[in-house]
């Protein structure tokens, strides 16, 4: 995610510090309560008003602490209901998507241990994914659990979106640099329609150099839109079954267009 590539964060003054402290306190009070009974493990039931307060509080905190990915995750959960319903409907109409919804696979270090991925052929999707994780010291278990999406099916769709993020990095050969994360966020926005993806891409774009912002407008945005219009439904790919295959074969079968590295430097 773009905030994970951030170096140094945002400078905050006394007023912003006071604002974030108040927002953190408000969010803590909400987390201690809840609206009704839990519908799945870890679920925190909330009313629409509580979701609005959580979303706004988390947005303030995320601006002050861009490395805290779970805060941006809360924003996504409290603002993405409509987009998640569209994604669920799309997956239900896709044969592979339906199977994913039935099986509910999860991408964790227990399910996909690195030592098993390294046993796959060197040119495989799985081996490339393992190298990506090790090279960047990433752990799939670091993904925040879903808590504020009330419908269990929609909660799984949100979780699935989070867990396949690094697989999209590998599939599209996008490095986890600031520029690479912004590019991937635009692709995610076009693919999922989640408001937090577009907001994240725009917020990340502000911190890019003028030359990089120009590359985003000229190359990345048209590329993301092409994929949204003609590309594969990335939420309806059973990635766990594709990992033993050649990465290039998977890209060719899905019609993946990889951006030239010079466009995302």
């Amino acid at each position: 995610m773009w905030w994970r590539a951030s170096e140094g964060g945002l400078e905050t003054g006394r007023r912003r510090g006071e604002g974030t402290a108040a927002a953190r306190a408000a969010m803590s009070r909400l987390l201690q309560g809840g609206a009704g009974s839990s519908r799945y493990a870890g679920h925190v039931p909330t009313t629409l008003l509580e979701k609005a307060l959580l979303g706004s509080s988390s947005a303030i905190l995320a601006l002050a602490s861009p490395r805290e990915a779970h805060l941006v995750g809360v924003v996504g959960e409290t603002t993405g209901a409509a987009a998640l319903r569209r994604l669920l409907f799309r997956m239900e109409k896709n044969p592979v998507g339906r199977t994913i919804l039935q099986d509910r696979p999860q991408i964790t270090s227990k399910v996909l241990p690195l030592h098993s991925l390294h046993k796959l052929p060197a040119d495989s999707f799985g081996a490339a994914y393992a190298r990506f994780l090790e090279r960047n010291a990433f752990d799939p278990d670091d993904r925040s659990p879903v808590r504020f999406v009330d419908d269990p099916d929609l909660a799984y769709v949100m979780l699935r979106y989070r867990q396949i993020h690094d697989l999209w990095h590998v599939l599209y050969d996008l490095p986890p640099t600031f520029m690479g994360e912004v590019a991937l966020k635009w692709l995610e926005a076009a693919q999922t329609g989640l408001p937090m993806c577009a907001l994240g891409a725009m917020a990340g774009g502000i911190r890019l150099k003028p030359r990089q912002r120009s590359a985003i407008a000229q190359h990345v945005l048209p590329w993301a839109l092409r994929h949204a219009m003609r590309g594969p439904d990335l939420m309806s790919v059973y990635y766990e079954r594709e990992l033993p295959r050649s990465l290039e074969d998977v890209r060719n079968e899905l019609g993946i267009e990889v951006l030239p590295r010079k466009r995302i430097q």
Side-chain angles (χ1 to χ4, degrees), residues 24-260:
R24 194 181 296 274
M27 188 164 67
S28 178
R29 288 194 296 271
L30 284 175
L31 292 177
Q32 292 172 6
S37 58
S38 297
R39 301 186 63 188
Y40 55 87
H43 176 222
V44 179
T46 48
T47 65
L48 289 176
L49 177 58
E50 288 171 334
K51 282 181 171 60
L53 291 173
L54 273 171
S56 57
S57 300
S58 298
I60 294 170
L61 291 169
L63 286 173
S65 304
R67 290 190 178 187
E68 296 191 46
H70 68 282
L71 295 173
V72 185
V74 172
V75 177
E77 292 176 31
T78 54
T79 63
L84 289 173
R85 282 193 290 270
R86 289 192 294 270
L87 287 173
L88 177 65
F89 178 74
R90 204 167 76 196
M91 292 177 73
E92 288 175 337
K93 291 180 68 67
N94 184 293
V96 178
R98 282 198 302 273
T99 301
I100 293 170
L101 292 172
Q102 291 167 1
D103 295 349
R104 299 204 174 192
Q106 295 199 23
I107 296 174
T108 65
S109 61
K110 183 177 181 179
V111 177
L112 295 175
L114 280 176
H115 66 83
S116 295
L117 293 173
H118 279 304
K119 292 179 182 178
L120 296 173
D123 66 343
S124 69
F125 189 4
Y129 174 57
R131 291 192 295 269
F132 175 86
L133 293 177
E134 287 192 328
R135 185 166 58 247
N136 297 290
F138 291 162
D139 185 342
D141 297 337
D142 288 341
R143 296 292 171 191
S144 301
V146 177
R147 294 181 293 169
F148 303 109
V149 178
D150 294 325
D151 184 279
D153 292 330
L154 299 185
Y156 176 73
V157 173
M158 174 62 85
L159 179 65
R160 182 68 173 175
Y161 153 72
R162 287 180 183 170
Q163 291 186 340
I164 60 180
H165 173 86
D166 285 337
L167 287 167
W168 289 4
H169 267 291
V170 176
L171 197 58
Y172 286 91
D173 194 25
L174 290 170
T177 59
F178 211 90
M179 183 69 168
E181 292 288 359
V182 170
L184 186 53
K185 267 286 166 278
W186 278 120
L187 177 68
E188 290 178 343
Q191 270 280 329
T192 68
L194 287 165
M196 73 164 187
C197 296
L199 290 173
M202 288 187 287
I206 293 173
R207 305 181 66 191
L208 296 176
K209 298 176 182 178
R211 172 184 58 80
Q212 292 174 315
R213 287 198 293 270
S214 177
I216 291 290
Q218 294 180 25
H219 305 291
V220 173
L221 285 175
W223 164 79
L225 289 173
R226 283 197 300 274
H227 264 277
M229 296 172 61
R230 303 194 302 269
D233 180 359
L234 295 175
M235 291 295 296
S236 293
V237 176
Y238 211 132
Y239 294 95
E240 293 84 348
R241 298 177 178 177
E242 304 297 333
L243 293 176
R245 300 181 56 202
S246 159
L247 177 57
E248 286 306 313
D249 286 348
V250 174
R251 284 172 176 162
N252 290 335
E253 184 174 297
L254 293 176
I256 298 297
E257 178 188 351
V258 176
L259 277 171

